[in-house]
């Protein structure tokens, strides 16, 4: 029996797509458990680039089943577009994809409200992806949401949709002064899409549990990152789901105690998209160089990512709350030629050094990062495949991060291709055991 989770250690965009793709190679079932099409997982296969938003990262592998777990919010139009895009490129999506009927649906009114609320918040906005994620999760918690399986019962669905729209349209018209959403078109179109995906809708929890019981390899695919987690992250500048290890049981129906291995992906520096605290953030020339070298533009929205040094306080905190077995370090190649590198090792607030990662966004915005300077390296490392062949300063940088996190670095990625990866000095050859 074997289950492995791969999650994000920072604010998302850590390069999980490539890692999940490589682990999916040996997986029988790949399961997304949180978020929606706010995610953007990039996978490069030879000269082909795939960006997955909603569909799990095992979809390109023959023999791997992929489940959109019950913890997701599913935009039906976005799902269809992504399915059709893959089918057009020869991927047998319908053979390899399943959707948990308990997952919630994102309707156009959720996207509409997402934008309106951001406008309403003005300077206090979150900087969401505008995909309707927050409003759909809010409905789930308010018990006014509609689930994927509800679409298979047209009368029940029509009743729920009518009630939801009455409330949403009151908000859209009366509070925000916008045009209401149309009921009949939305109902018809949703049922049309439901027919198309009918055969893919399953009891996802049952699927995961039986796969695990049968000794199959199950890979849980995280989206976003720990610092965007609704509870552990930099609230309120977070997404609306449980992005860390804690989200897996709730978001899939797989018992929490059945997770055998917990891995997280982190960049060798830090990025963040959207608003919110970012203690190790850089501005000016170094930030611009990092953004260019790392091609730091959002895979979903195209927004330029904010860039900063590796923040070991964030990393330690995220290792701790997730209880990790190992780390996968990505984008190490991006740091070649940067000169001396800084790592944030602690935070100063007023006269004192903070003992951990503070809960309050206001404290996070006032604190001063304390840095440790480390020598950089100039060599291109994109062709290196063994830890011992990395430049000495680069090895030391990796060792320093490992020691700061107190967690072994299992893999180091030195470029976007599947092959550009090496086993860390203390890494295991087989990540499934
Ligand atoms: P939402 O998930 O669209 O509600 O956005 C909430 C916050 O999470 C915003 O700061 C987004 O930029 C951020 N976010 C959501 N998904 C991702 C992601 O996949 N990568 C990086 N940031 C994300």
């Amino acid at each position: 029996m074997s289950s492995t989770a791969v999650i994000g250690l920072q604010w998302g965009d850590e390069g999980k797509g490539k890692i999940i793709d490589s682990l999916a190679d040996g997986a029988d079932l790949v399961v997304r458990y949180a978020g929606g099409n706010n995610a953007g997982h990039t996978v490069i296969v030879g000269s082909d680039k795939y960006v997955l938003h909603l569909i799990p990262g095992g979809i390109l592998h023959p023999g791997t089943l992929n489940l959109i777990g019950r913890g997701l919010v599913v935009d039906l139009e976005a799902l269809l577009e992504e399915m059709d895009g893959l089918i057009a490129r020869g991927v047998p999506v319908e053979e390899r994809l399943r959707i948990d009927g308990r997952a919630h649906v994102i309707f156009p009114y959720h996207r509409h409200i997402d934008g309106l609320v951001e406008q309403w918040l003005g300077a206090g906005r979150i900087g969401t992806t505008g995909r309707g994620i927050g409003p759909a999760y809010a409905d789930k918690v308010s018990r006014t949401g509609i689930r994927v399986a509800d679409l298979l019962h047209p009368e029940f669905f029509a009743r729920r949709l009518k009630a939801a729209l009455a409330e949403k349209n009151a908000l859209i018209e009366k509070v925000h002064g916008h045009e209401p959403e149309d009921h009949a078109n939305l109902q018809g179109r949703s049922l049309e899409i439901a027919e198309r995906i009918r055969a893919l809708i399953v009891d996802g929890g049952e699927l995961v549990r039986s796969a695990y019981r049968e000794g199959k390899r199950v890979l849980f695919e995280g989206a976003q990152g720990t610092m965007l987690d609704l509870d552990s992250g930099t609230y309120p500048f977070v997404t609306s789901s449980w992005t860390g290890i804690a989200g897996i049981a709730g978001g899939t129906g797989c018992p929490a105690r059945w997770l055998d291995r917990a891995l997280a992906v982190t960049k060798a520096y830090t990025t963040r998209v959207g608003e919110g605290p970012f203690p190790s953030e850089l501005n000016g020339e170094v930030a611009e160089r990092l953004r260019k070298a790392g091609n730091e533009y959002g895979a979903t929205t195209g927004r330029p990512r904010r860039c900063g040094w590796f923040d070991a306080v964030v990393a330690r905190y995220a290792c701790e709350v997730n209880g990790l077995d190992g780390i996968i370090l990505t984008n190490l190649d991006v740091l070649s030629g940067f000169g001396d590198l800084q790592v944030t090792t602690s935070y100063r607030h007023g006269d004192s050094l903070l003992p951990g990662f503070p809960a309050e966004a206001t404290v996070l915005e006032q604190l001063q990062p304390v840095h440790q300077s480390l020598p950089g390296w100039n060599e291109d490392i994109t062709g290196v495949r063994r830890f011992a062949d990395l430049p000495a300063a680069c090895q030391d940088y990796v060792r320093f991060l490992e020691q700061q996190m107190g967690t072994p670095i299992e893999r180091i990625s030195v470029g976007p291709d599947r092959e550009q990866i090496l086993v860390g000095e203390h890494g295991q050859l087989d990540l499934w055991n």
Side-chain angles (χ1 to χ4, degrees):
M1 291 200 274
S2 182
S3 66
T4 296
V6 177
I7 64 153
L9 197 74
Q10 300 164 308
W11 280 279
D13 308 318
E14 297 93 349
K16 293 180 293 294
K18 168 180 161 170
I19 306 305
I20 284 157
D21 173 64
S22 73
L23 271 168
D25 209 15
D28 298 296
L29 179 63
V30 180
V31 189
R32 273 272 311 262
Y33 60 89
N37 60 324
N38 48 350
H41 291 169
T42 307
V43 184
I44 311 254
V45 187
S47 56
D48 292 332
K49 178 174 165 178
Y50 298 83
V51 183
L52 304 169
H53 296 286
L54 197 49
I55 294 182
I59 199 75
L60 303 176
H61 295 272
T64 305
L65 198 59
N66 293 268
L67 174 68
I68 292 179
R70 67 187 197 181
L72 272 83
V73 281
V74 180
D75 183 318
L76 298 174
E77 296 288 355
L79 173 67
L80 214 57
E81 192 182 324
E82 197 168 326
M83 285 174 64
D84 286 342
L86 288 167
I87 291 167
R89 295 174 76 177
V91 182
V93 173
E94 276 147 10
E95 226 173 75
R96 297 183 191 165
L97 181 67
R98 299 293 177 267
I99 304 161
D100 194 321
R102 290 182 169 88
H104 278 245
V105 178
I106 299 180
F107 290 102
Y109 55 80
H110 291 122
R111 286 198 302 270
H112 194 168
I113 292 168
D114 197 352
L116 292 174
V117 171
E118 283 283 271
Q119 245 176 16
W120 180 273
L121 288 171
R125 70 186 179 280
I126 306 300
T128 71
T129 59
R131 301 295 191 264
I133 305 292
Y137 276 117
D139 279 2
K140 169 175 170 171
V141 176
S142 301
R143 293 155 297 178
T144 53
I146 295 174
R147 306 203 286 184
V148 169
D150 296 338
L151 297 166
L152 303 179
H153 305 275
E155 276 175 30
F156 176 74
F157 167 59
R159 262 203 323 274
R160 295 280 294 176
L161 185 65
K162 198 169 171 194
L165 256 183
E167 190 210 350
K168 300 307 168 198
N169 277 336
L171 177 73
I172 291 171
E173 280 187 284
K174 297 198 174 121
V175 177
H176 296 285
H178 271 235
E179 286 298 302
E181 300 265 343
D182 174 68
H183 177 255
N185 279 350
L186 180 55
Q187 187 179 322
R189 175 69 182 145
S190 306
L191 291 175
E192 203 178 295
I193 299 179
E195 269 320 300
R196 171 83 197 278
I197 60 171
R198 174 181 283 275
L200 311 185
I201 302 172
V202 296
D203 181 333
E206 173 57 33
L207 180 68
V208 179
R209 290 188 299 272
S210 53
Y212 186 82
R213 277 205 191 93
E214 285 163 23
K216 293 190 170 153
R217 284 179 166 180
V218 182
L219 176 62
F220 296 105
E221 172 181 356
Q224 290 84 42
T226 303
M227 304 314 287
L228 287 171
D229 183 276
L230 188 53
D231 283 313
S232 298
T234 46
Y235 191 90
F237 301 98
V238 291
T239 190
S240 302
S241 64
W242 291 278
T243 58
I245 295 294
I248 294 175
T252 65
C254 177
R257 295 170 66 176
W258 289 9
L259 180 63
D260 299 318
R261 198 163 171 74
L263 303 171
V265 185
T266 178
K267 272 180 189 155
Y269 49 94
T270 312
T271 62
R272 169 162 208 172
V273 199
E275 308 301 321
F278 181 176
S280 69
E281 183 168 17
L282 285 162
N283 289 300
E285 195 240 341
V286 189
E288 198 43 49
R289 274 178 64 199
L290 260 181
R291 191 169 301 119
K292 275 220 175 86
N295 191 25
E296 296 297 354
Y297 297 89
T300 297
T301 57
R303 290 181 288 178
R305 294 178 185 142
R306 298 157 66 192
C307 296
W309 298 121
F310 186 84
D311 188 332
V313 186
V314 162
R316 276 196 299 272
Y317 167 74
C319 284
E320 187 78 11
V321 296
N322 288 303
L324 297 175
D325 296 300
I327 297 286
I328 293 151
L329 185 68
T330 59
N331 291 32
L332 186 61
D333 54 300
V334 172
L335 293 179
S336 291
F338 261 83
D340 283 354
L341 302 168
Q342 312 296 317
V343 172
T344 304
T345 50
S346 56
Y347 298 153
R348 187 178 295 286
H349 187 239
D351 290 335
S352 48
L353 279 183
L354 297 180
F357 191 84
E360 311 91 317
T362 45
V363 174
L364 279 161
E365 257 146 18
Q366 292 156 6
L367 52 77
Q368 294 299 317
V370 177
H371 288 134
Q372 163 95 35
S373 184
L374 293 142
W377 60 92
N378 289 319
E379 294 88 337
D380 175 357
I381 59 167
T382 54
V384 175
R385 297 292 175 270
R386 289 186 334 150
F387 185 82
D389 295 336
L390 290 170
C394 182
Q395 293 187 20
D396 286 345
Y397 182 77
V398 174
R399 284 190 193 108
F400 184 75
L401 302 194
E402 196 168 49
Q403 174 238 321
Q404 285 284 313
M405 291 186 282
T407 308
I409 292 179
E410 301 278 358
R411 292 283 186 283
I412 300 168
S413 169
V414 290
D417 285 345
R418 274 181 176 174
E419 292 71 33
Q420 290 178 297
I421 197 151
L422 49 128
V423 177
E425 193 176 28
H426 307 111
Q428 281 184 212
L429 268 181
D430 185 356
L431 290 181
W432 281 102
N433 293 305

